[in-house]
Amino acid sequence: MMTKTKEPLCFIKKHKYLIFSLLAFVLAFSFFLFAYPYHLVRREQQNLFLYDLAYILRTYQGPGFVSRFLGDFLEQFFCFKILGALLVSTLLTLTAVIVYKIFRRFAGKGFSFTFALIIYAWSFSRETGNTFITQYTIAVAGYLLFIYAALRFKGTVLKISSLIVFVALGIWFFGNPYHKYYGKLVGKPEFENEKLIAMDVETFRENWDKVLDLADDGLLYNEACYFQNLASAMKGQLPDKLLSRPQNQSNGLFLFVNEVTPFSNGAAGELWYHLGNMTLADQSSMVAMQSSPKHTGVRFIQRLAMINLISEEYGAAEKYLKILDKTLVYHGWARSMMPGRQNDGTIEKLNDYRSRLVKKDRVAPGNHYYLLLKDLLEANPNNLLARDYLLCFELLSFDLETFMRDFDPSEDKSHLYQEAALVWLNIQYGLGKITDVNFEDYGISEETVGRLGRFYKYPENYKDTYWYYFTYARD
């Protein structure tokens, strides 16, 4: 009689390939859910799938129409992290199982399993690629499924002829399983990019506390500074938190829309959207949409809808909302945003953003930040977000003369502004010769003056002050 100890071992031995399949699924699921979740969310943001027969017939034509259709269909669910990880891990595991089934037609279990594992690892690596899209994994799985179906026919002639027919059908159904940008042969996880994508996604969702939780001082990218600065600003803390992390002068305050950095294109407009310059916000979304893998994306359409609602361009807004109304995930939001259907909270938010709108049309590049910010303040002097960005821009650019012209001690109370005013006074009167100055006229507290004295003795203890930045950052 078999002992109880041997029973589980026999079960494992008998079903080891099934167990390995489950482990492969769990590995992929855990990776994309816990280590790499925003990678798939961003893929969904750059995707569009409409429940409209005319759209489907028009969009999914020509070679590869099946893989494109299925890829877009699956990617619409990637905004849900668990569901996205579930779908991708199922696809990867299914690909490996099909490979195993194919090789078992003419090879042993060990060899078949080994080759299935290689294809699984290869497909897994492709899925981690920064610009990869799902249709290319589906294309590989589709070809393999057709090959397996052909090999099930009996007789060599029938197998070969069916294989030729099925491969030809595969070319029409699934197209090329490779693309030099969006379906590369190999990929690798880029965890720093994952962090940037996470901050970008949560910025778009306006989850400001989450953006700050994701912030990492070791992530030395202008984009990381940009997201953290914007999140701090939206919480009314930009000047107080500005120098709590390293700043690459003013490059972490703004991102410039260009053709070289597609990722930054979509992010660049988020600041201008909240500041009130809808022209630059619109440009950012349009350029980002055109430079995305499929030249579309629900994120950009959603942002364009909001921009036009705020600008009271209702015809354009309804055009975008009607597109989103044909999606599965966003149709409820689209209907709730239609003029005449908005609730009190939505109307209040739209009116708040309308109060910030710039009134002047300026023909100038999007990197003329001083002029753009002054235009916003001219339109609404109470735009505190624009005011903080203006003053912080001047300070990070070491332009103390302009800062002192724009600085209002009765309104601008942050310790950062007080520290900068003290630097300016020291420049004007000479280092240590400002004893006769009435600091209250400049909004400078006695505590700030005392901290400056301690800074001279122990500068390393005051890295989050403007004094430290002014002294050392220019080098």
Side-chain angles (χ1 to χ4, degrees):
M1 179 179 290
M2 186 178 294
T3 64
K4 291 184 178 180
T5 306
K6 290 183 178 180
E7 286 178 1
L9 294 176
C10 289
F11 177 83
I12 292 173
K13 185 176 181 180
K14 182 177 180 181
H15 300 285
K16 61 182 177 181
Y17 296 112
L18 174 61
I19 293 171
F20 280 130
S21 298
L22 292 174
L23 288 175
F25 173 84
V26 171
L27 173 64
F29 179 76
S30 301
F31 177 82
F32 285 106
L33 180 59
F34 300 112
Y36 223 53
Y38 288 96
H39 173 76
L40 298 180
V41 174
R42 179 165 175 79
R43 202 181 294 180
E44 180 270 343
Q45 289 186 337
Q46 298 181 110
N47 179 60
L48 179 67
F49 185 86
L50 302 184
Y51 287 78
D52 180 83
L53 183 59
Y55 170 84
I56 291 172
L57 294 176
R58 182 176 66 253
T59 303
Y60 303 105
Q61 299 179 3
F65 73 96
V66 171
S67 61
R68 293 199 308 275
F69 175 85
L70 293 177
D72 291 355
F73 177 80
L74 293 181
E75 285 180 0
Q76 70 179 312
F77 301 108
F78 286 8
C79 57
F80 308 109
K81 294 178 185 176
I82 294 177
L83 193 51
L86 179 68
L87 291 171
V88 170
S89 54
T90 299
L91 197 56
L92 292 173
T93 306
L94 180 63
T95 301
V97 169
I98 297 171
V99 172
Y100 177 79
K101 292 286 188 179
I102 289 173
F103 278 87
R104 281 294 290 127
R105 307 295 296 181
F106 51 83
K109 290 183 178 180
F111 180 85
S112 301
F113 173 77
T114 301
F115 204 81
L117 185 62
I118 292 172
I119 297 299
Y120 170 83
W122 171 68
S123 299
F124 189 108
S125 79
R126 295 183 85 202
E127 276 288 343
T128 64
N130 200 37
T131 58
F132 190 81
I133 55 180
T134 314
Q135 75 176 68
Y136 295 103
T137 297
I138 291 174
V140 171
Y143 277 109
L144 290 171
L145 188 61
F146 274 20
I147 291 171
Y148 175 66
L151 293 176
R152 288 180 62 83
F153 286 99
K154 295 181 179 180
T156 304
V157 175
L158 191 56
K159 283 183 179 180
I160 293 175
S161 58
S162 61
L163 188 62
I164 294 171
V165 172
F166 276 29
V167 169
L169 284 174
I171 293 172
W172 181 248
F173 283 4
F174 307 116
N176 192 342
Y178 163 80
H179 190 282
K180 64 178 179 179
Y181 298 123
Y182 311 125
K184 294 181 179 180
L185 284 178
V186 292
K188 64 177 182 178
E190 299 180 35
F191 292 104
E192 288 191 339
N193 277 341
E194 169 68 12
K195 291 180 181 179
L196 291 176
I197 291 170
M199 297 180 77
D200 177 51
V201 168
E202 298 300 347
T203 294
F204 177 74
R205 292 175 172 176
E206 300 182 21
N207 293 332
W208 306 119
D209 289 326
K210 183 66 174 178
V211 175
L212 295 175
D213 289 341
L214 290 164
D216 181 355
D217 288 349
L219 199 60
L220 300 178
Y221 292 90
N222 291 332
E223 291 85 353
C225 282
Y226 170 84
F227 294 127
Q228 186 174 353
N229 288 334
L230 178 54
S232 297
M234 294 303 294
K235 293 174 67 66
Q237 301 170 350
L238 178 61
D240 293 332
K241 300 292 185 181
L242 183 69
L243 297 178
S244 62
R245 68 162 291 148
Q247 297 285 340
N248 182 17
Q249 297 191 20
S250 62
N251 294 313
L253 285 178
F254 310 97
L255 297 177
F256 187 56
V257 177
N258 58 65
E259 297 178 358
V260 180
T261 53
F263 172 76
S264 298
N265 287 338
E270 290 302 301
L271 169 63
W272 297 110
Y273 169 77
H274 293 291
L275 283 171
N277 190 320
M278 296 302 153
T279 300
L280 290 180
D282 184 282
Q283 178 197 20
S284 168
S285 293
M286 284 292 191
V287 173
M289 186 159 57
Q290 289 302 314
S291 60
S292 67
K294 302 172 187 175
H295 312 300
T296 187
V298 290
R299 165 180 172 162
F300 311 122
I301 296 171
Q302 194 173 13
R303 176 57 76 229
L304 289 167
M306 286 298 298
I307 289 169
N308 284 282
L309 283 173
I310 293 167
S311 303
E312 298 183 278
E313 297 288 345
Y314 294 119
E318 288 187 16
K319 177 185 71 174
Y320 295 119
L321 291 172
K322 286 178 179 177
I323 293 173
L324 294 174
D325 186 37
K326 296 177 181 178
T327 65
L328 180 64
V329 177
Y330 299 96
H331 76 95
W333 178 87
R335 291 182 181 183
S336 71
M337 297 304 294
M338 284 286 186
R341 296 184 180 181
Q342 299 157 357
N343 60 33
D344 292 342
T346 299
I347 293 172
E348 183 180 356
K349 179 177 180 178
L350 291 173
N351 287 334
D352 177 39
Y353 275 73
R354 284 167 186 152
S355 71
R356 309 175 197 175
L357 288 176
V358 67
K359 301 296 191 295
K360 182 184 294 184
D361 290 328
R362 180 178 293 279
V363 181
N367 60 348
H368 285 209
Y369 304 125
Y370 180 79
L371 295 176
L372 294 167
L373 292 168
K374 292 292 280 187
D375 288 345
L376 286 162
L377 287 170
E378 182 181 320
N380 182 356
N382 296 320
N383 189 337
L384 299 181
L385 187 66
R387 181 163 187 80
D388 277 336
Y389 263 90
L390 176 69
L391 296 175
C392 290
F393 170 67
E394 293 164 350
L395 293 182
L396 291 180
S397 303
F398 305 101
D399 190 356
L400 287 176
E401 291 298 326
T402 305
F403 167 78
M404 291 304 294
R405 287 199 300 269
D406 293 325
F407 173 56
D408 183 351
S410 65
E411 298 289 338
D412 308 316
K413 300 293 187 179
S414 171
H415 68 83
L416 178 74
Y417 301 147
Q418 295 180 43
E419 292 160 5
L422 265 179
V423 173
W424 181 82
L425 286 170
N426 273 291
I427 294 172
Q428 297 301 308
Y429 292 93
L431 191 63
K433 299 179 181 179
I434 55 175
T435 54
D436 296 332
V437 172
N438 184 357
F439 293 118
E440 290 185 2
D441 292 342
Y442 297 92
I444 302 171
S445 66
E446 292 183 6
E447 180 187 357
T448 302
V449 176
R451 290 178 72 235
L452 177 60
R454 295 191 292 274
F455 165 77
Y456 288 138
K457 295 180 180 179
Y458 309 105
E460 290 296 317
N461 294 339
Y462 296 89
K463 289 185 177 182
D464 62 344
T465 65
Y466 190 70
W467 308 318
Y468 190 91
Y469 176 83
F470 188 85
T471 303
Y472 297 103
R474 284 182 293 181
D475 298 333

